[in-house]
Amino acid sequence: MKILKGKIINHNSSYNGEIIFEEKINSINKIDNVNFDNYIIPGFVDLHCHGGGGHDTMSGLSDIENMSKYHLKNGTTTILPTTLTATFDDTIKALKGLNKYIKKNKTNVIGVHLEGPFINSNKLGAQPPFTQLPDIKFINNIEKEALIKTITLAPELKGSENFIKLLLKKKIQVQIGHSLADYKCCKKIMHNNKIGFTHLYNAMSGNDNRNPGVLTAALRDAEYAEIICDLFHVNEENIHIAYKCIPKLYAISDSISATGMPDGKYSFAKLKINKKGKQAFIKKNVLAGSVINMHDTFKNLVKINFSLNQAVEMTSFNACQYLKEKFLGKIEKGCFSNLLVLDKKLNLKEVYFNGKLIK
């Protein structure tokens, strides 16, 4: 039995109190007339993460294990390792053994996010040129090795409509991304379906006044969308616009293996990238994912005038609502004890995962 005391910050409430917990939270008691020196928030949730600490999802199970540990030490208690657009052979090789690993180990990995390969070859961004048309056999075979929680695809591709229906029957969350679809195409698949959007604003058709595209569909009609908050992929003003328009917007890191590493040259999607400061580039002006973790993301949100409650909402709660994870992303009795202790400057002091002190 452990006890934490501090100012408890949920997505919808803040109060001074103590949390009594083991693997799950046993009870929470409010404490009046006390000013604590620390905040207690839910562990971060990252549904789009390619790597970190020098490790990459596409390099296989050992790297997935080590990248997840890097992010856990930095406060991410729930994570979806994310693939790149690749051949089936390379994708299955990367994910081989993941289901068995999750079953045998207490890990923050709860499944995977497939980013491609069913995306538009004319909207690759930093993705490799291995796109293909929708193929349910690809999905069926990947599922033998890894639980697919989300998939990014382009709905304008031939065969997408039926493919999306099959994915939804499998309870795989479908996200539009790396797409040149028009508004009508997006709206058609959004009808009666909980469709998400991948790294909002980036690698998608825009909000053109005469030719509305993916971004228009997201801002006008979406309930959920992910967004990178490194303040380079999307600027401050557009993050706030998205928050106003999309009820359950959530932040993702989109981090790559160079995250947490010194400046220098690294490999990403079999391409050479240059990490300098808080950015990484494939070419001079092509960003190669981000090089921040979710703790950096949380601090960035507060920096651009989101409240602590809103920052928790965007880095924990909304993503769990998207995946229907009822016992994650909030500090309530009966929820898993995934807890972070921050000082008043938002530095990370302690990380608890399923009640166990990690840092």
Side-chain angles (χ1 to χ4, degrees):
M1 194 83 71
K2 298 183 179 73
I3 299 176
L4 279 179
K5 295 182 180 182
K7 186 166 186 180
I8 299 167
I9 312 290
N10 267 313
H11 71 285
N12 59 354
S13 64
S14 302
Y15 53 89
N16 292 322
E18 65 176 11
I19 305 168
I20 301 169
F21 63 98
E22 295 172 283
E23 182 178 6
K24 290 186 176 181
I25 296 171
N26 295 323
S27 62
I28 302 172
N29 303 311
K30 291 185 178 181
I31 301 174
D32 296 325
N33 304 317
V34 176
N35 290 317
F36 290 107
D37 293 328
N38 56 275
Y39 300 115
I40 305 172
I41 66 172
F44 302 128
V45 178
D46 191 358
L47 305 189
H48 187 150
C49 179
H50 294 286
H55 306 285
D56 191 300
T57 298
M58 296 303 295
S59 295
L61 184 58
S62 177
D63 269 51
I64 291 172
E65 179 181 1
N66 285 310
M67 65 166 268
S68 69
K69 288 179 178 178
Y70 161 80
H71 285 287
L72 180 58
K73 288 178 181 178
N74 286 281
T76 300
T77 53
T78 304
I79 194 168
L80 294 184
T82 304
T83 61
L84 292 166
T85 292
T87 64
F88 171 78
D89 288 345
D90 284 346
T91 306
I92 198 77
K93 182 180 177 181
L95 301 178
K96 190 170 183 60
L98 185 58
N99 280 338
K100 292 180 181 178
Y101 172 77
I102 293 173
K103 188 175 182 179
K104 291 181 179 180
N105 297 275
K106 289 191 174 181
T107 174
N108 55 340
V109 178
I110 63 167
V112 297
H113 177 164
L114 296 186
E115 188 174 12
F118 316 112
I119 61 174
N120 194 313
S121 60
N122 292 312
K123 205 64 173 173
L124 287 174
Q127 292 284 321
F130 297 110
T131 61
Q132 64 177 76
L133 293 177
D135 179 5
I136 199 63
K137 290 182 181 178
F138 185 108
I139 300 298
N140 292 339
N141 286 317
I142 293 295
E143 285 183 312
K144 294 174 183 177
E145 297 293 339
L147 177 63
I148 304 168
K149 287 284 192 176
T150 67
I151 183 170
T152 295
L153 54 74
E156 68 272 23
L157 298 183
K158 183 180 178 181
S160 287
E161 188 173 350
N162 187 56
F163 183 60
I164 289 168
K165 289 178 181 177
L166 294 172
L167 293 172
L168 294 172
K169 283 183 180 179
K170 289 175 171 285
K171 301 189 184 305
I172 296 171
Q173 296 297 143
V174 174
Q175 300 182 187
I176 300 174
H178 292 277
S179 169
L180 289 170
D182 60 20
Y183 173 79
K184 289 182 179 179
C185 176
C186 296
K187 184 64 177 174
K188 185 176 181 180
I189 69 162
M190 292 172 74
H191 183 65
N192 293 328
N193 295 316
K194 187 174 70 176
I195 301 296
F197 291 81
T198 295
H199 42 51
L200 193 71
Y201 293 103
N202 297 110
M204 60 177 56
S205 51
N207 189 31
D208 187 272
N209 60 313
R210 290 197 178 102
N211 297 294
V214 174
L215 180 57
T216 305
L219 295 176
R220 186 182 187 277
D221 301 311
E223 182 180 9
Y224 292 93
E226 58 171 60
I227 190 167
I228 306 169
C229 297
D230 61 356
L231 308 183
F232 298 108
H233 281 81
V234 185
N235 68 12
E236 172 183 347
E237 292 77 13
N238 281 315
I239 294 172
H240 278 279
I241 288 171
Y243 183 80
K244 285 185 176 182
C245 292
I246 301 173
K248 295 176 182 176
L249 183 74
Y250 60 93
I252 46 105
S253 71
D254 197 18
S255 68
I256 61 175
S257 63
T259 303
M261 303 296 287
D263 287 357
K265 296 191 182 299
Y266 294 89
S267 177
F268 177 70
K270 298 183 179 179
L271 298 171
K272 296 298 180 183
I273 65 164
N274 184 38
K275 177 183 181 288
K276 187 174 182 181
K278 296 181 179 180
Q279 298 180 81
F281 295 93
I282 292 177
K283 299 175 184 176
K284 187 175 181 181
N285 295 313
V286 179
L287 287 165
S290 90
V291 287
I292 68 168
N293 55 49
M294 289 299 288
H295 182 219
D296 299 321
T297 296
F298 183 88
K299 291 188 290 184
N300 280 347
L301 289 168
V302 176
K303 177 182 176 182
I304 61 173
N305 298 315
F306 283 91
S307 70
L308 290 174
N309 301 97
Q310 290 170 330
V312 165
E313 179 187 22
M314 289 181 65
T315 57
S316 298
F317 182 74
N318 284 350
C320 291
Q321 295 297 294
Y322 181 56
L323 292 188
K324 298 180 180 179
E325 295 286 350
K326 296 180 180 180
F327 301 106
L328 297 173
K330 54 189 176 182
I331 301 174
E332 291 181 3
K333 182 179 178 180
C335 289
F336 285 101
S337 301
N338 294 345
L339 305 167
L340 309 180
V341 180
L342 310 176
D343 66 21
K344 286 297 179 74
K345 293 184 179 180
L346 306 184
N347 296 308
L348 192 58
K349 294 172 63 179
E350 296 175 3
V351 177
Y352 292 87
F353 174 62
N354 289 347
K356 181 181 177 181
L357 180 64
I358 302 299
K359 174 181 177 180

